[in-house]
Amino acid sequence: HPRKLGSDVPSACAGSFAAVSHIDAHSRSLERIERLCRSVNEARALRTQVLDELRRVIGFQAHAWILTDPQTAVGVAPVADVPWMAELPGHIRRRYLTPINRWTALGDVPVALLHETTRGELAKSMLWRELLVRHGVTDAASMVMKDRFGCWSFLELWKAGGAERFTRADATFLISLAEPLAQALRRCQANTFTARPTREEPRTGPVVLVLSEDLQVRGQTAQTADFLRVLVPPTQGRAPIPAAAYNVAAQLLAVEASVDDHPPTARVHVSDGLWMTARAARLGSVPGSKGERDIAVTLEQSSTSERADMFSRAFGLTPRERELLGHLAEHDTRELARRMFLSENTVQDHLKAIFEKTATHSRRALLALAHGR
């Protein structure tokens, strides 16, 4: 049938051309993002610029990109743009309680699509059926950025309006970005480590928020708002958003619901080399009272061991190098060799490797960065 065959050829050619163009667009975008990963040294700036690039290649109407504590995978510092910002506490709570495509559940494949995972039954997702459906969301792409040193971030992209969904090509493209972005974000975290002043201004009081079961703020100490403004700079004229508090509290709920077993704690860089640790815990019930117990979230300066662990992960130290760093402040080379069952020359080799990774040249400078003083 010459006429039928002839009529099909242009259509087939057009489809092939479109597919090739799509692949070329992804390839060019990957190159641009890899350049950003090599050149941008600050996590917020990197995420903002990569999102601009992704928006040109993969259409989406909303996003949330959250840095995480590499050990607990609990979120701390978001870059987000969602039309349901007024419902943010409920969003975070449901995201942590939704096992479908949870960033901690993504294994060897770091990207998952909601429509694909649920086979079109989006209501299987608690987050979708209780919140996203009301905002016309038709699909979600979930992506985790992790390496052998920990989980550094997760990204959520949402399509809304009509019957749009993410394609398998979109997922493949995002998968290709996971490794370079994980390495770049880890490097950005490493760049935050600077030595703290020996003497600092005394703090006026503890940083504490009290949240309800649905993550509404019931109260906070006087210094809390100042810290929150530094953690997540608010829009002009608006109150700061306690994103770190919402995330650790939501993780507590996830642990209680057996959705995830990571502890409800996360370390976050505040400014000028200062690292703080956020923790969530249930407040004790008052005898004779009724109803749910509130959640207390505390934010305090990270301990030496917490900071050193984060430092070791960010700079990609090996287990032996981490062990050496842990003993370095208290022992000389001979004692280090005895404790680690190594020769003194091997200890020196490990120390040289640490100096090279951390761009330091002395034990004093290394410990100043790792311990923050």
Side-chain angles (χ1 to χ4, degrees):
H1 303 279
R3 179 178 295 181
K4 182 176 182 181
L5 179 62
S7 63
D8 287 344
V9 170
S11 176
C13 290
S16 299
F17 180 77
V20 170
S21 298
H22 201 55
I23 293 172
D24 287 345
H26 285 171
S27 178
R28 290 192 296 271
S29 182
L30 174 60
E31 292 177 359
R32 289 191 291 268
I33 290 174
E34 287 178 335
R35 284 198 295 271
L36 290 173
C37 287
R38 292 190 295 268
S39 61
V40 182
N41 297 315
E42 194 276 323
R44 178 173 288 273
L46 176 63
R47 286 177 288 168
T48 300
Q49 293 182 52
V50 171
L51 282 166
D52 288 341
E53 179 64 34
L54 289 178
R55 191 175 286 106
R56 287 192 289 267
V57 181
I58 302 176
F60 56 88
Q61 285 69 49
H63 68 264
W65 195 340
I66 300 94
L67 297 183
T68 55
D69 183 301
Q71 184 176 21
T72 65
V74 177
V76 287
V79 169
D81 182 10
V82 294
W84 51 88
M85 189 62 71
E87 301 177 81
L88 187 61
H91 174 189
I92 294 175
R93 175 179 175 275
R94 291 178 178 92
R95 188 65 193 98
Y96 276 76
L97 289 172
T98 301
I100 292 178
N101 292 355
R102 199 181 197 271
W103 63 101
T104 53
L106 299 181
D108 295 334
V109 180
V111 174
L113 308 179
L114 181 60
H115 200 283
E116 189 174 86
T117 300
T118 63
R119 297 184 179 181
E121 298 181 42
L122 276 59
K124 290 181 178 179
S125 163
M126 173 195 294
L127 177 61
W128 188 85
R129 69 174 180 267
E130 294 186 4
L131 189 148
L132 299 182
V133 63
R134 291 188 276 107
H135 297 276
V137 170
T138 53
D139 201 3
S142 301
M143 176 182 181
V144 65
M145 283 139 276
K146 59 185 178 181
D147 58 17
R148 60 193 178 95
F149 303 106
C151 174
W152 298 99
S153 182
F154 69 92
L155 169 65
E156 303 269 314
L157 304 175
W158 293 282
K159 281 184 177 289
E164 286 190 281
R165 69 178 72 168
F166 292 100
T167 66
R168 178 44 32 192
D170 294 333
T172 301
F173 173 58
L174 290 173
I175 290 171
S176 70
L177 299 176
E179 182 176 348
L181 285 172
Q183 294 176 359
L185 289 169
R186 178 163 62 83
R187 179 175 53 80
C188 288
Q189 294 291 52
N191 290 336
T192 67
F193 282 90
T194 59
R196 300 286 297 161
T198 303
R199 294 183 179 180
E200 297 181 19
E201 291 296 322
R203 299 223 302 270
T204 57
V207 180
V208 181
L209 285 91
V210 177
L211 305 176
S212 65
E213 181 77 13
D214 57 358
L215 306 190
Q216 298 300 314
V217 178
R218 291 194 187 277
Q220 62 185 41
T221 54
Q223 198 180 27
T224 300
D226 293 335
F227 271 95
L228 295 180
R229 287 190 179 90
V230 177
L231 285 175
V232 183
T235 304
Q236 187 69 29
R238 294 186 178 181
I241 298 172
Y246 290 154
N247 278 266
V248 292
Q251 178 63 20
L252 175 63
L253 297 176
V255 171
E256 292 174 345
S258 299
V259 173
D260 186 74
D261 60 1
H262 289 91
T265 179
R267 292 159 291 186
V268 55
H269 177 247
V270 180
S271 64
D272 301 325
L274 175 61
W275 279 82
M276 306 286 284
T277 299
R279 294 182 176 85
R282 288 284 185 180
L283 291 174
S285 59
V286 178
S289 65
K290 297 181 180 180
E292 299 163 338
R293 293 181 297 156
D294 288 339
I295 300 171
V297 176
T298 60
L299 192 66
E300 58 188 351
Q301 187 166 342
S302 299
S303 67
T304 298
S305 61
E306 289 172 337
R307 181 186 171 101
D309 175 77
M310 188 74 181
F311 176 89
S312 298
R313 292 173 184 272
F315 282 99
L317 302 190
T318 67
R320 271 300 203 188
E321 291 166 354
R322 295 174 66 175
E323 182 184 358
L324 188 152
L325 180 63
H327 296 307
L328 194 60
E330 300 175 1
H331 306 292
D332 59 17
T333 300
R334 179 176 297 179
E335 181 62 17
L336 283 170
R338 188 187 70 80
R339 285 178 172 270
M340 298 177 67
F341 302 100
L342 299 172
S343 70
E344 292 184 29
N345 286 337
T346 302
V347 169
Q348 290 290 358
D349 288 341
H350 283 312
L351 195 54
K352 289 178 183 177
I354 297 175
F355 287 159
E356 183 176 351
K357 289 179 179 180
T358 60
T360 55
H361 301 89
S362 69
R363 297 186 183 202
R364 183 184 182 89
L366 173 62
L367 290 172
L369 288 184
H371 296 169
R373 61 178 185 271

